[in-house]
Amino acid sequence: MLKHIEELFMKYHSGEEGLSSATVEKNRKAYGQNQIEEKKKTNFFVKFLKSFKDSLIIILMVAAVVSVIIDPTAYVDSIIILIVVFFNSVLGVVQETKAEHSLEALKKMSSPTSKVIREGKKRIIPSSEVVVGDVLLVEAGDYVAADALLMESVDLAVDESALTGESLPVNKNVRDINEINLPIGDQKNKIFSSTFITSGKAKAIVTEVGMHTEVGRIAELLNEKTDATTPLQHKLSSVGKMIGFMAIGICAVVFLLEMLSCFKNGEDLSKAWVECFKTAIALAVAAIPEGLATVVTIVLAIGVGKMSKRNAIVKRLPAVETLGSCNVICSDKTGTLTQNKMTVQKIYYNELKSIQKIGERERELLSYFALCCDATIDNEIIGDPTEVALLEANQSYGRVLQEKRVLEIPFDSTRKRMTVVIKKENTYLAITKGAPDFLIEQSNLTDMEKKKIMEVNQQMASQALRVLALATQSFSSKPTEYQLEKNMTFMGLVGMIDPARPDAKEAIALAKDAGIRTIMVTGDHLLTASAIAKELGIIEGEHEAITAKELDSLSDEELLKNIEKYGVYARVAPKDKVRIVEAWKKKDAIVAMTGDGVNDAPALKKADIGCAMGITGTDVSKEAADMILVDDNFHTIVSAVKQGRGIYDNIRKCVKYLLSSNIGEVVTIFLASLISAITNISIGVPLLPIHLLWINLITDSLPAFGIGMEEVEDTIMNESPRPKKEGFFAHHMSIQIVIEGFIIGICALISYSIGHFLEHSHITGQTMAFFTLSTAQLLHAYNVKSKYSVFSLKSYKNHFLNFAIFIGFVLQVLVVYCPGIYTLFQFEPLSFTNLTICICLGLLIVVYSELFKKD
């Protein structure tokens, strides 16, 4: 027995006969339970209350309360506002709750029962009862319950894809490995919790359980608290704060102006201040864009619907925009950039050829490789991926197989070869496939021939191809095992690899053109990862690739300094992926992370947006991610980036539209109060709170939804990603909002003045101001929606927006002309002349915008 096994027996008070009952309890107390611990969850009610801390939500609640205080009969407006608040809060909590099941998925991966030896007897126990020091028995078809060191093994192969992300089973055996800090994939003498035994059997001593296992460490990383707010949420929060300060400022200024006007008119200020205060508060409340939060939520929901049709399922609404603003995509290799399927690429028979250009001799060679396989691909694919690749290559390029084997020597990891004997007419043919070095040595080749074949072997290996050799022997009678695998006739080599996805190269190039860098982060070997990365255009030379060992040797400061130098990280562990993501984030990058294994889950959660694979992805990776790619296609990410950019652009348009409309309302009232305060002209109040609330909640919201449904413009992927610190109102948007708002407001005030002074009717003035304001805002939607002129047919492709504006005009006409309704709003029907004046004044905002459009 190996020395380190004996040392573990002594340390854990175990042995060949396993643990005693008393020792089981001692070890459980000393080393812990074999369970994944969950962080304490926040209950639904607390989450619901926390959702009200958003600035816009607070403003909306204040709007509802103040509306009732000012006018108790306006309870309908308050109910509408509270419904908006409730809808947004519930929607946010539901989305958050759906994203909190990562650890539950980890638990599902655990084997329900395990076989152990205790007190010399084989027992089947619940996996949660396995303790450190237990002697664990595993065989093909078992999930491993805990991390363990091998004591005995026979042809053991383990699927570790859940931890390493690599699809090929790993051959394990008992050996001394003294090197520390090895990647999981290189620890050939250990088996790990949540991995799957594909072949063979073994006996192992448990060294780690529960949260101390490799999968437990992943769970611990998932438990770490992360900032779940996205760039869009940060920016909308700043918008909300800005609106709040604006509303407070309006309150103060309008209150002073109203008080000044009352003073000039000789009114009793001790009584007048209450009405002045109510007017100021009412104006501020009405000036807040009550529909903004709902519009943004629905625009995001529309984006989610569009993305689902393009094979990208989004779990959190704000994550749509985040992907659109990312400038770094850290991607797993296997199954994401590659096909997750071994494929024969090269074949050697006297000369090296690609498989598409082989001749008759190479076809025969392929058929021999296929005969020496245990896998099947008839009704379903069963077997080792390497053998499946050989069968599929023969099916496409080789010969039809008729021969039946009469003898075989199975493959094992020590011999690294497999032999079958088939009867071929009156002779017996032995076919051996395996590692090239052994078959070359055991073949009847000259030294020159051996040298040439080894050079070809090295050439294929340098291209990251997995190389297998084949040799044969002929017998006149059925041979014995003793006669086989000696003095063979060397036939040839095949080279295979998990190839790059056909469209991944194009997707990476498109991402590069859009200013997005792709980084490969993989558990595979450096040589294989570098070869695929070069083919895909991720890197140009080997100096841009680094291993986990080299990464560990770098301090956080060194990594941060050199992070932009590396395009490939090979043999990485889960903690390395998190470290890479964190380093890029410290560089102010917005990072997307793709992956499919348990090993990817912590990095998926840590990234600004995690993208899990829908087909090959584990439950853990899907639950930890923000988005799931249904088709496992890297190209889908580029499409999602385009949609994300378009959605963010549409949200900016919506905010611009709503705020310019609200500034127009504020300007109308503010200038009227200012004129009354500084002149002897009593201009009155152009609009009542009910008029403004109707415009904000009804007239503005429908066109805003239409703007949110605008199709993404084709040129958007030619732009660079937005800088992380770029403000929401960048590129002079705030100036444009103010100018457009002033034009709308002045037009409404002119319209009011015509009715108030020329028609000598305050009600006519208010009606004209309302109709002008509504008309200007409805038409302004066409200005905001795109860069195209309103005289271009492209401006009318958005059918929902066309319908929304039509409905807006219908509602506005009903409010002004329908008996009963116009009385409720304190309006009166307008004459044809006054109606024409209102429409003409409303069109002035279109004229202004057309002057500044390129097309």
Side-chain angles (χ1 to χ4, degrees):
M1 184 175 288
L2 295 177
K3 183 180 178 182
H4 63 278
I5 298 293
E6 293 178 348
E7 290 172 351
L8 289 177
F9 280 163
M10 291 180 64
K11 180 179 179 181
Y12 301 136
H13 308 288
S14 185
E16 290 282 358
E17 295 188 349
L19 298 172
S20 66
S21 298
T23 309
V24 167
E25 291 306 317
K26 286 181 181 178
N27 285 4
R28 184 172 287 122
K29 288 180 181 178
Y31 302 106
Q33 294 268 15
N34 191 29
Q35 293 179 338
I36 300 297
E37 297 174 5
E38 292 189 65
K39 64 181 178 181
K40 188 177 179 182
K41 291 183 179 179
T42 307
N43 65 49
F44 187 90
F45 182 69
V46 173
K47 289 179 193 172
F48 183 73
L49 290 179
K50 284 184 176 180
S51 68
F52 289 96
K53 66 181 181 180
D54 179 78
S55 299
L56 284 175
I57 297 295
I58 293 171
I59 292 170
L60 289 173
M61 291 177 68
V62 169
V65 173
V66 175
S67 294
V68 174
I69 293 174
I70 295 170
D71 184 2
T73 62
Y75 64 88
V76 174
D77 298 324
S78 297
I79 289 173
I80 292 172
I81 295 171
L82 289 174
I83 287 173
V84 169
V85 171
F86 183 80
F87 171 77
N88 281 289
S89 298
V90 170
L91 186 61
V93 172
V94 169
Q95 291 291 333
E96 182 183 347
T97 303
K98 283 183 179 179
E100 278 189 345
H101 303 299
S102 301
L103 294 176
E104 291 176 14
L106 276 171
K107 284 186 170 183
K108 291 177 187 176
M109 294 188 63
S110 302
S111 175
T113 60
S114 297
K115 296 183 287 288
V116 297
I117 296 176
R118 286 185 180 173
E119 297 177 331
K121 296 179 181 179
K122 180 179 174 180
R123 296 182 182 179
I124 298 176
I125 63 172
S127 293
S128 59
E129 294 182 9
V130 172
V131 299
V132 169
D134 260 325
V135 175
L136 194 64
L137 301 174
V138 293
E139 59 186 344
D142 288 345
Y143 275 98
V144 181
D147 291 3
L149 194 67
L150 293 174
M151 298 164 53
E152 300 173 10
S153 69
V154 179
D155 299 334
L156 185 67
V158 184
D159 179 356
E160 294 182 341
S161 59
L163 289 177
T164 65
E166 301 312 308
S167 55
L168 289 175
V170 180
N171 295 316
K172 301 279 187 174
N173 51 61
V174 179
R175 62 169 77 171
D176 266 321
I177 297 180
N178 298 317
E179 202 169 349
I180 60 173
N181 296 325
L182 280 176
I184 292 172
D186 292 337
Q187 296 181 42
K188 306 291 188 182
N189 62 343
K190 291 190 74 173
I191 53 177
F192 300 96
S193 175
S194 299
T195 59
F196 181 73
I197 309 298
T198 58
S199 65
K201 58 183 179 179
K203 184 189 291 184
I205 180 170
V206 175
T207 55
E208 304 288 354
V209 295
M211 296 298 288
H212 299 289
T213 62
E214 291 296 333
V215 77
R217 292 190 181 100
I218 292 173
E220 195 170 359
L221 290 170
L222 289 173
N223 266 336
E224 290 180 4
K225 187 176 181 181
T226 57
D227 181 13
T229 54
T230 68
L232 177 62
Q233 288 172 313
H234 283 301
K235 288 163 186 171
L236 286 180
S237 177
S238 68
V239 172
K241 289 176 183 176
M242 183 207 71
I243 294 171
F245 285 124
M246 183 182 75
I248 293 170
I250 290 169
C251 281
V253 173
V254 171
F255 174 74
L256 291 174
L257 290 174
E258 288 295 314
M259 287 289 287
L260 181 61
S261 179
C262 291
F263 175 75
K264 288 181 64 179
N265 293 331
E267 296 180 29
D268 185 355
L269 295 183
S270 62
K271 295 179 181 179
W273 77 268
V274 176
E275 291 302 317
C276 293
F277 187 77
K278 283 183 179 181
T279 302
I281 292 293
L283 174 62
V285 170
I288 294 167
E290 286 82 3
L292 181 59
T294 306
V295 168
V296 169
T297 301
I298 292 176
V299 169
L300 286 171
I302 292 167
V304 167
K306 288 182 179 179
M307 292 177 74
S308 67
K309 294 176 182 177
R310 292 172 171 83
N311 297 316
I313 297 174
V314 176
K315 293 168 60 182
R316 294 191 305 121
L317 293 183
V320 179
E321 176 272 333
T322 313
L323 185 60
S325 63
C326 84
N327 50 11
V328 173
I329 300 176
C330 293
S331 176
D332 187 28
K333 176 184 75 69
T334 305
T336 309
L337 297 172
T338 65
Q339 297 176 30
N340 196 18
K341 178 184 178 183
M342 294 300 288
T343 306
V344 175
Q345 302 275 306
K346 303 278 188 179
I347 189 163
Y348 173 78
Y349 185 95
N350 293 332
E351 66 174 306
L352 188 62
K353 297 180 180 179
S354 66
I355 194 168
Q356 293 86 1
K357 298 179 180 180
I358 62 175
E360 195 60 33
R361 285 302 188 96
E362 288 87 5
R363 296 182 195 282
E364 182 182 33
L365 177 59
L366 272 179
S367 69
Y368 285 162
F369 268 111
L371 284 167
C372 194
C373 288
D374 288 328
T376 60
I377 59 171
D378 295 331
N379 297 323
E380 60 178 319
I381 296 173
I382 301 173
D384 181 86
T386 300
E387 292 194 339
V388 170
L390 292 170
L391 291 178
E392 290 181 336
N394 183 63
Q395 196 176 61
S396 300
Y397 301 100
R399 292 175 168 179
V400 178
L401 303 176
Q402 300 289 347
E403 294 81 359
K404 303 293 182 183
R405 66 179 65 172
V406 296
L407 179 68
E408 66 177 283
I409 303 176
F411 174 87
D412 75 61
S413 56
T414 303
R415 296 183 333 107
K416 295 185 178 179
R417 58 189 180 274
M418 171 186 180
T419 298
V420 299
V421 179
I422 62 171
K423 189 173 182 180
K424 197 173 183 183
E425 297 176 351
N426 296 323
T427 62
Y428 290 85
L429 182 68
I431 305 169
T432 301
K433 83 171 193 302
D437 52 356
F438 174 82
L439 267 66
I440 290 170
E441 286 304 317
Q442 293 300 318
S443 298
N444 50 7
L445 296 166
T446 65
D447 289 342
M448 286 293 292
E449 289 172 330
K450 288 180 180 179
K451 183 180 179 183
K452 180 182 178 182
I453 294 168
M454 287 303 293
E455 286 174 354
V456 173
N457 177 46
Q458 184 58 39
Q459 182 183 343
M460 285 199 280
S462 67
Q463 296 170 9
L465 296 174
R466 186 180 187 191
V467 185
L468 287 177
L470 187 132
T472 62
Q473 292 171 270
S474 292
F475 299 92
S476 57
S477 59
K478 184 178 177 179
T480 63
E481 287 191 20
Y482 179 75
Q483 293 175 281
L484 300 175
E485 300 180 353
K486 299 172 184 176
N487 195 32
M488 296 180 288
T489 301
F490 187 84
M491 297 294 291
L493 305 169
V494 293
M496 61 186 72
I497 197 171
D498 178 12
R501 296 180 72 104
D503 49 4
K505 186 173 184 178
E506 179 190 355
I508 289 167
L510 287 172
K512 188 175 182 180
D513 291 341
I516 303 164
R517 184 171 178 185
T518 304
I519 307 294
M520 181 188 288
V521 186
T522 178
D524 207 347
H525 292 280
L526 182 66
L527 186 63
T528 306
S530 297
I532 294 292
K534 283 182 189 175
E535 182 185 346
L536 292 173
I538 294 175
I539 62 172
E540 295 179 359
E542 284 79 2
H543 63 281
E544 297 176 56
I546 186 174
T547 64
K549 274 190 179 181
E550 294 169 314
L551 181 62
D552 284 339
S553 67
L554 297 176
S555 66
D556 289 342
E557 291 76 18
E558 290 172 326
L559 177 60
L560 186 62
K561 184 179 178 181
N562 296 291
I563 189 71
E564 295 178 7
K565 293 181 181 178
Y566 305 117
V568 172
Y569 297 85
R571 303 305 274 171
V572 293
K575 63 180 179 63
D576 298 321
K577 296 184 179 186
V578 172
R579 191 177 174 212
I580 292 163
V581 169
E582 286 179 334
W584 274 110
K585 289 177 75 172
K586 286 178 183 175
K587 280 280 187 180
D588 284 335
I590 295 179
V591 185
M593 172 76 193
T594 73
D596 57 1
V598 176
N599 61 313
D600 298 314
L604 290 173
K605 186 175 181 182
K606 180 67 70 173
D608 292 299
I609 179 164
C611 308
M613 301 296 112
I615 299 172
T616 59
T618 59
D619 286 345
V620 180
S621 65
K622 291 175 185 177
E623 293 294 344
D626 303 291
M627 188 174 80
I628 299 169
L629 306 178
V630 175
D631 56 358
D632 285 16
N633 195 332
F634 189 83
H635 202 282
T636 303
I637 301 170
V638 179
S639 174
V641 167
K642 182 178 179 180
Q643 287 298 315
R645 289 186 178 186
I647 289 164
Y648 181 79
D649 199 33
N650 285 347
I651 288 173
R652 288 186 83 233
K653 291 173 184 177
C654 288
V655 172
K656 179 183 180 183
Y657 173 70
L658 291 172
L659 291 187
S660 60
S661 298
N662 282 88
I663 287 176
E665 298 163 16
V666 170
V667 166
T668 306
I669 307 298
F670 178 81
L671 288 181
S673 297
L674 184 63
I675 291 169
S676 296
I678 63 176
T679 68
N680 294 323
I681 302 171
S682 179
I683 200 166
V685 181
L687 292 162
L688 299 175
I690 190 173
H691 304 158
L692 297 171
L693 282 170
W694 172 267
I695 293 172
N696 288 348
L697 292 171
I698 307 299
T699 309
D700 285 353
S701 295
L702 282 175
F705 294 147
I707 292 170
M709 295 177 71
E710 188 70 14
E711 286 297 321
V712 181
E713 294 182 4
D714 294 333
T715 57
I716 203 162
M717 289 299 282
N718 297 332
E719 302 170 7
S720 298
R722 294 183 307 279
K724 192 171 186 176
K725 295 181 180 178
E726 181 179 283
F728 190 81
F729 296 96
H731 311 295
H732 311 296
M733 192 173 92
S734 56
I735 296 173
Q736 294 169 18
I737 290 172
V738 171
I739 293 173
E740 290 164 4
F742 260 92
I743 292 172
I744 292 171
I746 289 170
C747 288
L749 187 60
I750 292 171
S751 186
Y752 168 77
S753 300
I754 291 172
H756 183 69
F757 292 109
L758 297 184
E759 299 288 340
H760 306 290
S761 171
H762 178 63
I763 295 178
T764 300
Q766 287 187 325
T767 308
M768 290 182 70
F770 172 83
F771 205 94
T772 301
L773 198 61
S774 298
T775 300
Q777 291 178 8
L778 288 170
L779 295 175
H780 190 43
Y782 283 120
N783 298 330
V784 172
K785 73 177 283 290
S786 74
K787 63 182 180 181
Y788 299 110
S789 165
V790 294
F791 299 106
S792 169
L793 292 176
K794 293 178 181 179
S795 292
Y796 304 98
K797 285 186 176 182
N798 188 334
H799 299 303
F800 183 90
L801 180 61
N802 296 336
F803 179 73
I805 290 174
F806 172 76
I807 292 296
F809 273 113
V810 169
L811 291 174
Q812 144 182 1
V813 169
L814 285 175
V815 167
V816 173
Y817 289 100
C818 185
I821 296 179
Y822 68 72
T823 304
L824 176 66
F825 279 82
Q826 300 179 41
F827 287 150
E828 63 182 16
L830 297 175
S831 67
F832 178 78
T833 301
N834 288 339
L835 180 65
T836 303
I837 291 170
C838 293
I839 293 173
C840 290
L841 286 169
L843 280 168
L844 290 178
I845 187 63
V846 177
V847 174
Y848 165 79
S849 294
E850 284 297 299
L851 294 174
F852 292 92
K853 284 194 175 180
K854 297 177 183 177
D855 298 291

